[in-house]
């Protein structure tokens, strides 16, 4: 009973703060000035059908991809904009299914293009290919890109190149422990003279104990593991990471499972308060996510979204990035008005109590 009352009070406080912000269009104004990362959900197809998938991706989704030319075009436009962080995420669905459905060079093409444009890249995969012939092709591409496509000048200590491959480690991704181990083991034993890239392992908080288990396995297999601390050029605390045989850097990240897509059926998946305004990363950047259905959405996770199309009406032609950014701001203003309508009494009350405040 007491817990329910506490939650009600918290919801009331959160809504009151949001009403103030929406009355002044703080959120849409902020969106115009904060830096942004680009995310490309290249496809909705995936060979897994995980129970917690926020994107509802799976084998029943179309085998269609955002065209390579569209992705490259948006990156080219973004790098001319001072608000772009030059951080790009390539994800899905399962991005490596592109080798089957979008052509041999789709994945390497978009990665190399982003590198040439001076961007840092994160490729998210479920590593479901580790026991298939596709592994050889994907490994070859990663090695070739890390060895041959980075300009030496952008490398710092240990020449750690700004390329990250992100894997998942939780109870939902089938055989995640086995798949992650095989992927990491391969690169821990792959000598790349003078350069290293990062492998990131993400877990939901409920499954964070799987990471030490993975580390034990890596150590038991004979990999030399040592601790390192990375300092971000943007400041903040040094991050603990692991050097594996001097060939690859491993990091671990724990996150909350939000109740979007199929995750809405998971008991502990968290509901986001005012989800349509939850589009900022922890470092204060906004996330602008393009998908293969033709939408651009603020933020990545659950709930009511703010979305606009990236195609011109009734065509396959991409809209200019600035038009999309303007449309997202307009859609955010509408969402602010909608929020105020949903909280009419609070809106009227605060307008009345603050009527003389300038
Ligand atoms: S969570 Fe990842 S691996 Fe699982 S179905 Fe979704 S996209 Fe595929």
């Amino acid at each position: 009973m007491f817990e329910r009352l506490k939650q009600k009070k918290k919801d009331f406080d959160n809504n009151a703060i949001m009403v103030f912000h929406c009355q002044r269009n703080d959120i849409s104004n902020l969106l115009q000035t904060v830096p942004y990362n680009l995310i490309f959900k290249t496809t909705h197809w995936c060979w897994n059908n995980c129970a917690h998938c926020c994107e509802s991706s799976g084998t029943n989704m179309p085998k269609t991809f955002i065209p390579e030319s569209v992705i490259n075009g948006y990156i080219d436009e973004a790098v001319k904009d001072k608000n772009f962080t030059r951080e790009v995420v390539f994800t899905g669905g399962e991005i490596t299914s592109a080798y089957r459905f979008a052509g041999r060079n789709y994945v390497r093409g978009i990665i190399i293009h982003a590198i040439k444009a001076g961007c840092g890249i994160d490729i998210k995969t479920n590593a479901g290919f580790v026991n298939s012939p596709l592994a050889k092709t994907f490994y070859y591409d990663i090695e070739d890109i890390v060895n041959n496509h980075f300009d030496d000048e952008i490398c710092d200590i240990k020449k750690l190149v700004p390329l990250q491959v992100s894997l998942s480690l939780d109870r939902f991704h089938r055989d995640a422990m086995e798949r992650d181990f095989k992927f990491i083991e391969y690169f821990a034993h792959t000598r790349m003279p003078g350069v290293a890239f990062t492998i990131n392992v993400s877990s939901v908080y409920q499954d964070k104990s799987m990471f030490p288990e993975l580390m034990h396995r890596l150590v038991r297999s004979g990999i030399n593991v040592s601790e390192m601390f990375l300092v971000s050029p943007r400041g903040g605390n040094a991050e603990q990471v692991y050097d594996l045989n001097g060939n690859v850097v491993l990091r671990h990240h724990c996150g909350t499972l939000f109740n979007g897509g199929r995750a809405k059926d998971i008991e502990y998946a968290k509901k986001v308060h005012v989800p349509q305004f939850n589009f900022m990363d922890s470092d204060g950047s906004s996330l602008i996510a393009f998908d293969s259905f033709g939408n651009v959405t603020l933020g990545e996770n659950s709930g009511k979204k703010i979305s606009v199309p990236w195609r011109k009406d009734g065509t396959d032609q991409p809209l200019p990035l600035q038009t999309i950014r303007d449309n997202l701001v307009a859609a955010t203003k509408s969402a602010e008005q909608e929020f105020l309508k949903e909280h009419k009494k609070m809106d009227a009350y605060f307008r009345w109590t603050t009527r003389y405040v300038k």
Side-chain angles (χ1 to χ4, degrees):
M1 179 68 163
F2 184 61
E3 279 308 310
R4 280 227 316 267
L5 279 175
K6 246 172 55 181
Q7 186 56 44
K8 269 193 138 175
K9 163 91 172 63
K10 204 169 155 195
D11 285 349
F12 179 88
D13 290 347
N14 284 334
N15 288 337
I17 292 165
M18 285 307 297
V19 164
F20 270 125
H21 284 311
C22 290
Q23 284 178 347
R24 299 185 315 196
N25 293 125
D26 284 346
I27 306 148
S28 48
N29 290 337
L30 185 73
L31 184 61
Q32 297 173 67
T33 53
V34 289
Y36 61 92
N37 300 346
L38 290 183
I39 298 170
F40 294 99
K41 297 172 184 171
T42 52
T43 181
H44 279 79
W45 195 88
C46 182
W47 42 58
N48 283 4
N49 295 285
C50 305
H52 75 313
C53 186
C54 289
E55 300 298 333
S56 303
S57 294
T59 46
N60 59 346
M61 284 290 170
K63 296 167 181 142
T64 48
F65 287 74
I66 306 176
E68 189 177 339
S69 59
V70 169
I71 294 176
N72 294 348
Y74 281 127
I75 290 174
D76 290 344
E77 283 185 71
V79 292
K80 292 180 200 141
D81 180 352
K82 66 176 176 19
N83 271 349
F84 176 45
T85 56
R86 294 189 176 239
E87 297 292 335
V88 180
V89 177
F90 293 126
T91 180
E94 176 50 39
I95 186 173
T96 61
S97 66
Y99 284 94
R100 242 169 99 192
F101 306 127
R104 164 70 184 82
N105 289 320
Y106 179 91
V107 175
R108 66 181 277 124
I110 54 178
I111 297 173
I112 291 171
H113 188 89
I115 291 169
K116 282 191 181 146
C119 299
I121 296 142
D122 187 5
I123 307 154
K124 293 187 191 293
T125 171
N126 59 33
F129 51 77
V130 289
N131 293 317
S132 78
L134 176 55
K136 209 170 149 197
T137 312
F138 186 60
Y139 293 165
Y140 170 83
D141 278 352
I142 295 292
E143 281 172 60
D144 173 56
I145 289 165
V146 173
N147 279 314
N148 303 317
H149 289 274
F150 283 97
D151 185 342
D152 272 352
E153 283 169 20
I154 56 172
C155 300
D156 51 14
I157 305 164
K158 282 183 74 72
K159 292 189 178 173
L160 187 60
V161 296
L163 178 92
Q164 172 168 291
V165 177
S166 288
L167 310 172
S168 297
L169 186 63
D170 52 55
R171 73 191 72 178
F172 303 108
H173 286 85
R174 188 160 29 99
D175 304 327
M177 181 69 75
E178 189 56 35
R179 291 175 180 190
D180 290 5
F181 173 76
K182 283 198 92 164
F183 184 89
I184 296 165
E185 185 192 35
Y186 177 85
F187 282 103
H189 289 300
T190 301
R191 190 104 205 107
M192 290 191 257
V195 281
F197 72 105
T198 308
I199 299 175
N200 175 55
V201 173
S202 297
S203 308
V204 293
Y205 284 111
Q206 285 76 6
D207 292 336
K208 70 176 178 191
S209 62
M210 289 175 78
F211 184 71
E213 199 184 323
L214 175 69
M215 291 300 285
H216 282 136
R217 259 188 98 163
L218 293 168
V219 172
R220 279 201 308 268
S221 75
I223 294 168
N224 191 353
V225 177
S226 45
E227 283 181 345
M228 279 170 54
F229 289 88
L230 283 187
V231 183
S232 159
R234 292 198 210 167
N237 292 335
E239 180 194 0
Q240 184 182 11
V241 296
Y242 303 91
D243 173 293
L244 307 183
N245 285 347
N247 292 334
V248 72
V249 168
L250 181 66
R251 72 198 317 170
H252 183 224
H253 168 258
C254 265
T256 305
L257 177 64
F258 291 102
N259 70 344
R262 287 197 291 269
K264 69 180 183 331
D265 299 326
I266 309 283
E267 190 202 339
Y268 54 75
K270 192 170 174 265
K271 190 174 159 208
V272 185
H273 184 74
V274 286
Q276 66 269 45
F277 299 117
N278 202 54
F279 52 80
M280 304 281 280
D281 215 352
S282 51
D283 67 359
S285 321
S286 60
L287 305 171
I288 298 187
F290 291 71
D291 73 27
S292 60
F293 291 147
N295 305 309
V296 186
T297 305
L298 286 176
E300 261 197 297
N301 283 313
S302 69
K304 199 165 155 189
K305 312 245 187 185
I306 295 176
S307 280
V308 298
W310 57 257
R311 294 191 185 101
K312 276 184 198 142
D313 268 352
T315 72
D316 278 341
Q317 291 305 308
L319 288 162
L321 182 60
Q322 190 53 50
T323 308
I324 292 171
R325 302 238 304 129
D326 293 344
N327 291 346
L328 282 171
V329 171
T332 307
K333 280 193 200 304
S334 303
E336 285 169 327
Q337 291 313 307
E338 230 176 84
F339 190 82
L340 292 176
K341 270 189 216 151
E342 281 165 25
H343 299 85
K344 258 189 203 152
K345 282 187 187 161
M346 221 182 239
D347 180 25
Y349 177 73
F350 287 134
R351 279 184 201 279
W352 185 75
T353 53
T354 57
R355 66 197 183 283
Y356 298 121
V357 180
K358 287 275 179 248

